Amino acid sequence: MTERVVRVCGLAKSFRFGGQTVDALREVSFDLDRATLVGIVGTSGSGKTTLVNLLGGLDSPSAGEIWVDGIPVHEIPESRLSGFRREKVGFVFQFYNLIPNLSALENVALPLEFGRVPARLREERARQCLTLAGLPRERHRHPPGRLSGGEQQRVAVARALVNEPAIILADEPTGNLDSAMSRTIMKLLFSLVREHGRTVVVVTHDHELARQADRTLVLEDGRLKAG
Amino acid sequence: MRNLYRGIRNVWRNRSRTVVVLCILALAAGLGLVMLALEEGVSSQVGAMEASVGTMIEIRPAGVYGMMSLGGLGILGRDPGTPADDPPPGLPTAMLEEIAGMPGVTTVAPYVMTIARDQATSTAGMRFARGRMVYGVAPGGDLTVLGGGQVEVVSGRGLEPGDEGMPVVVIGTAIAEREGVGLGDRLLIQDRWFRIVGLHQSALRMAGLGIFMPYDVALEVFELEGLTQIYVWADSIGRVDALRETLQGQYGEIADVVAQKDSLMGRLDEAFSSLSSASRLGLLLSLLAAGVVVFGSMYLVVRERAREIGILKAVGASPRDIVVQFGTEAIALSLAGALLGLALFVALGPAVASRVVQAAAPVPAVPRMAGEILGGSGGEALSRFGDGAFGRAFMGGGRMGMTVGTVEVALTWSLAAKAILGGLGLGLAGGLIPSLVAARLKPAEVIRRD
Ligand SMILES: Nc1ncnc2c1ncn2[C@@H]1O[C@H](COP(=O)(O)OP(=O)(O)O)[C@@H](O)[C@H]1O
Ligand SMILES: [Mg+2]
């Protein structure tokens, strides 16, 4: 029994830059099932980041529809997108993007803070996620600067998990890690899908990973090539 | 709550910059507080001065003289040749009773001032040079000359109750010497004989030529139509304005009514306005400088942390969360600056304040000014009989000059409260635009930047 969690229909996004218009995405349509790991591949500049940003409500489409967990994201005004992101989306970025003066635990708890979750619950939940992401308990209070790249990315994954989002979007999460570290992070992402029933969308250049994914979307010049 | 916490915590993110910014803010706040304290000090002293100059109101015939001038004296002294249908202006004595019955009036004092025809040389040219100033006062009151303050009775007695209508005078020792008369002798004034019951002395030459007699006698002997002044005292400083209004309403047609505190304060305000406006300008400039510093530093913070703001938004921060966090940071920064400024003020305020006072209003100038106002050409208007307040007012002027010279700039609760409120306001004002800019950053764009 599969359940559709994402539905994208005729999606287009163009940027105006200087006097020119760049069509980063054109006529993109696809559906994604819950509890799958979806790889997005494509050359640099093919529109992968743009697609992920649109799925996560970080940006608004120029045309088309995006439904996430039954919500018409394309209809949400920009001022209210933060609520959508807080409740439905988890982001993992290439450069970890942790807040440097907050501890690992505080970083993970951030989405819950913005969701006004009570402090006790927040900490408990953040600890659970950090443990699940594989950060040893004694490192929970450390600031990002004291953690290795791999550990920081574990914290980032924990942060993307903490609000129990409908989709986790990871934009080249291993792009900044060595291959051994990359493999452990990929394993972590797979375990989220296989063991915890999460839906994960991963932008990657790693063909190994792309092969293992439940599904791979190939972008070329802003168009979906194969699904 | 966590937004506030993060905002406050972020103040320390870039320590060296924060230290520099706090130093500038502390300097600006400290200076601003000195200016504020000066402003408060000056206004409180002006208030104290106002209270000390008392509750006197002067009534004089309309339009005859502003500040009593010697030209004015000429009109009042009636030459024998002056036609009777050209009466000198004056205030009817009936006013004394009427005013005494008004609510809030404690004392009413009549006053007549004129110049007696010189018995020895009646040529017009010599009149003033050898003239005798005649003052008609209420018997029992102080003997006060216009332009010279009180005189001291050195032998015999002053004018006492019961002297009304009696041909008695108290004359200056200078006149006694000049005319070869003494205590108990008779003196011819305007073809009338007076008995000299007392001799008075004063440091001022003008006063030495003064002859005091009961005012009713003076009116009669000099054939005056009325009093040259009426002095009224209110029972409290708060009552002065209302009483002045009442008197103006009643006698406005024939008289000018001036409260001593107003005429004096008008002049004193001039003396203080330079200090006051300098301190106000200083306060404004330091506020402005602090505002620019808060704004600039918060603007840099937002630019520097654009990416982080994008991340916060990506993980669910609403625009409001961002505004609160960065607004809090701005307020915490400027509040810290204000508190440091307060400390700086406590440490260095008095020294800085006295420098500012010296620069804005050289110390000797103030007492000189006050002395001029109270004792000099305009001082006659302030002469006050009855309770010797003239001396008090004069002393008040002198004392005020001294205290402004060393204006006390102590830390008060109100000053501390103003510093804190100022810090809050500055944080809000300086941090508002940067916070709004932060809240409007587009997460997709700022995260993309590397
Ligand atoms: N904010 C933007 N302004 C202008 N052009 C942009 C912007 N974001 C992306 N683009 C352009 O859109 C295209 C797709 O970019 P992106 O989605 O980042 O590609 P990828 O992630 O696959 O490398 C690129 O040509 C890029 O230059
Ligand atoms: Mg990309």
Side-chain angles (χ1 to χ4, degrees):
Chain A
M1 215 14 241
T2 55
E3 188 196 339
R4 193 179 293 152
V5 69
V6 172
R7 180 185 173 82
V8 169
C9 201
L11 186 64
K13 175 75 183 176
S14 49
F15 296 101
R16 208 151 281 145
F17 188 72
Q20 290 169 311
T21 304
V22 180
D23 293 313
L25 286 178
R26 353 177 183 210
E27 279 298 317
V28 173
S29 303
F30 59 88
D31 295 338
L32 299 180
D33 293 334
R34 198 180 291 281
T36 53
L37 191 140
V38 181
I40 298 180
V41 294
T43 54
S44 179
S46 58
K48 306 180 294 294
T49 296
T50 302
L51 177 57
V52 163
N53 285 349
L54 289 176
L55 284 177
L58 275 187
D59 212 343
S60 303
S62 305
E65 295 181 0
I66 306 168
W67 299 75
V68 174
D69 212 21
I71 295 169
V73 183
H74 54 280
E75 285 177 8
I76 304 175
E78 205 169 307
S79 58
R80 300 249 298 280
L81 277 174
S82 62
F84 163 74
R85 294 191 293 261
R86 190 166 60 232
E87 275 157 32
K88 297 292 176 189
V89 188
F91 285 100
V92 180
F93 302 95
Q94 179 177 353
F95 299 102
Y96 331 128
N97 279 322
L98 301 174
I99 309 300
N101 68 334
L102 299 181
S103 70
L105 199 65
E106 287 170 321
N107 265 284
V108 174
L110 267 181
L112 302 179
E113 284 177 18
F114 295 129
R116 309 293 187 261
V117 173
R120 276 249 318 278
L121 226 67
R122 245 174 14 219
E123 177 163 343
E124 193 184 311
R125 177 94 188 110
R127 281 200 185 283
Q128 277 174 7
C129 292
L130 275 173
T131 306
L132 194 153
L135 190 76
R137 201 183 165 86
E138 67 272 16
R139 317 227 67 179
H140 288 191
R141 294 277 178 199
H142 287 198
R146 302 256 296 274
L147 302 173
S148 72
E151 285 170 326
Q152 288 188 55
Q153 202 58 303
R154 286 181 193 279
V155 176
V157 171
R159 185 177 65 189
L161 269 178
V162 79
N163 55 340
E164 302 186 318
I167 44 168
I168 294 171
L169 304 169
D171 192 352
E172 304 192 34
T174 60
N176 216 31
L177 300 174
D178 62 40
S179 57
M181 207 61 241
S182 295
R183 248 170 285 133
T184 49
I185 291 297
M186 287 320 302
K187 237 184 254 168
L188 173 59
L189 291 177
F190 271 105
S191 78
L192 294 183
V193 177
R194 306 282 183 253
E195 288 157 39
H196 302 279
R198 299 273 142 220
T199 308
V200 178
V201 177
V202 190
V203 173
T204 184
H205 293 296
D206 186 339
H207 290 279
E208 171 85 12
L209 172 101
R211 261 207 329 277
Q212 289 174 349
D214 299 308
R215 190 156 162 223
T216 306
L217 302 175
V218 182
L219 276 173
E220 204 178 271
D221 203 15
R223 288 177 207 278
L224 209 53
K225 205 176 150 203
Chain B
M1 275 314 286
R2 296 292 291 185
N3 290 329
L4 302 185
Y5 167 76
R6 273 195 306 280
I8 291 168
R9 204 165 142 174
N10 278 345
V11 172
W12 270 127
R13 278 286 276 285
N14 186 334
R15 283 181 203 202
S16 48
R17 183 173 61 209
T18 301
V19 166
V20 171
V21 167
L22 283 179
C23 284
I24 298 172
L25 285 179
L27 274 176
L31 198 65
L33 284 170
V34 167
M35 296 306 169
L36 207 59
L38 273 179
E39 177 77 36
E40 274 179 10
V42 167
S43 67
S44 85
Q45 293 200 8
V46 167
M49 183 65 194
E50 204 172 49
S52 87
V53 298
T55 56
M56 193 191 81
I57 296 171
E58 181 190 3
I59 306 172
R60 55 200 182 205
V64 173
Y65 28 68
M67 290 302 241
M68 184 73 61
S69 67
L70 289 175
L73 297 180
I75 314 174
L76 295 169
R78 212 180 190 194
D79 279 329
T82 310
D85 58 349
D86 182 18
L91 301 169
T93 49
M95 282 171 68
L96 296 172
E97 288 274 317
E98 288 169 24
I99 294 169
M102 288 179 175
V105 172
T106 55
T107 313
V108 182
Y111 197 65
V112 172
M113 189 195 59
T114 186
I115 293 176
R117 195 171 66 227
D118 195 290
Q119 302 298 318
T121 52
S122 59
T123 44
M126 294 298 286
R127 193 180 62 176
F128 178 69
R130 304 207 53 195
R132 301 145 143 194
M133 306 289 293
V134 174
Y135 302 99
V137 300
D142 287 344
L143 303 181
T144 310
V145 295
L146 289 174
Q150 274 181 65
V151 298
E152 196 189 340
V153 175
V154 289
S155 62
R157 60 175 180 86
L159 296 175
E160 287 165 1
D163 284 339
E164 289 90 350
M166 304 297 288
V168 292
V169 289
V170 176
I171 69 169
T173 48
I175 293 184
E177 224 167 276
R178 193 177 74 191
E179 304 194 6
V181 290
L183 195 62
D185 288 349
R186 294 195 307 162
L187 182 66
L188 194 63
I189 303 169
Q190 302 285 107
D191 305 325
R192 296 269 205 105
W193 287 105
F194 285 78
R195 181 161 303 282
I196 301 170
V197 296
L199 294 179
H200 69 76
Q201 209 162 18
S202 164
L204 289 151
R205 206 179 101 77
M206 267 264 268
L209 295 174
I211 296 172
F212 290 90
M213 64 178 69
Y215 76 93
D216 51 347
V217 177
L219 287 177
E220 187 203 328
V221 168
F222 288 91
E223 297 169 49
L224 295 174
E225 295 286 302
L227 302 163
T228 53
Q229 269 114 338
I230 295 175
Y231 292 93
V232 181
W233 281 268
D235 58 6
S236 70
I237 191 93
R239 184 87 85 150
V240 172
D241 286 332
L243 187 56
R244 187 179 52 72
E245 293 278 302
T246 309
L247 291 168
Q248 186 73 52
Q250 196 98 341
Y251 306 113
E253 299 270 300
I254 58 159
D256 293 332
V257 182
V258 177
Q260 180 182 2
K261 73 177 176 68
D262 295 339
S263 62
L264 175 62
M265 295 329 284
R267 298 289 294 277
L268 284 178
D269 276 353
E270 275 173 38
F272 287 126
S273 67
S274 73
L275 181 55
S276 197
S277 64
S279 60
R280 229 169 273 167
L281 186 70
L283 178 63
L284 202 74
L285 286 180
S286 51
L287 271 176
L288 203 70
V292 167
V293 168
V294 171
F295 173 84
S297 104
M298 284 314 293
Y299 192 78
L300 284 181
V301 159
V302 168
R303 276 185 53 149
E304 195 174 272
R305 294 200 218 127
R307 189 186 176 83
E308 179 176 318
I309 293 162
I311 299 300
L312 290 173
K313 296 183 108 180
V315 303
S318 67
R320 201 176 137 265
D321 289 321
I322 302 291
V323 169
V324 171
Q325 181 184 317
F326 283 85
T328 304
E329 184 169 344
I331 289 170
L333 186 73
S334 68
L335 212 53
L339 291 177
L340 285 175
L342 212 54
L344 206 63
F345 170 79
V346 170
L348 302 173
V352 176
S354 70
R355 287 288 168 97
V356 172
V357 170
Q358 276 166 23
V363 180
V366 177
R368 194 176 63 227
M369 185 100 182
E372 197 177 288
I373 293 164
L374 289 154
S377 62
E380 55 255 284
L382 301 171
S383 303
R384 176 167 169 183
F385 349 85
D387 66 0
F390 175 87
R392 277 223 308 271
F394 186 85
M395 288 310 290
R399 193 176 59 235
M400 178 171 57
M402 298 305 288
T403 23
V404 169
T406 57
V407 142
E408 288 149 41
V409 289
L411 180 64
T412 60
W413 282 113
S414 104
L415 211 59
K418 278 176 188 163
I420 288 167
L421 282 179
L424 278 173
L426 217 62
L428 275 174
L432 183 68
I433 290 172
S435 302
L436 290 176
V437 167
R440 290 176 63 106
L441 287 177
K442 295 202 185 310
E445 281 176 24
V446 291
I447 294 170
R448 180 182 288 272
R449 285 185 210 155
D450 272 325

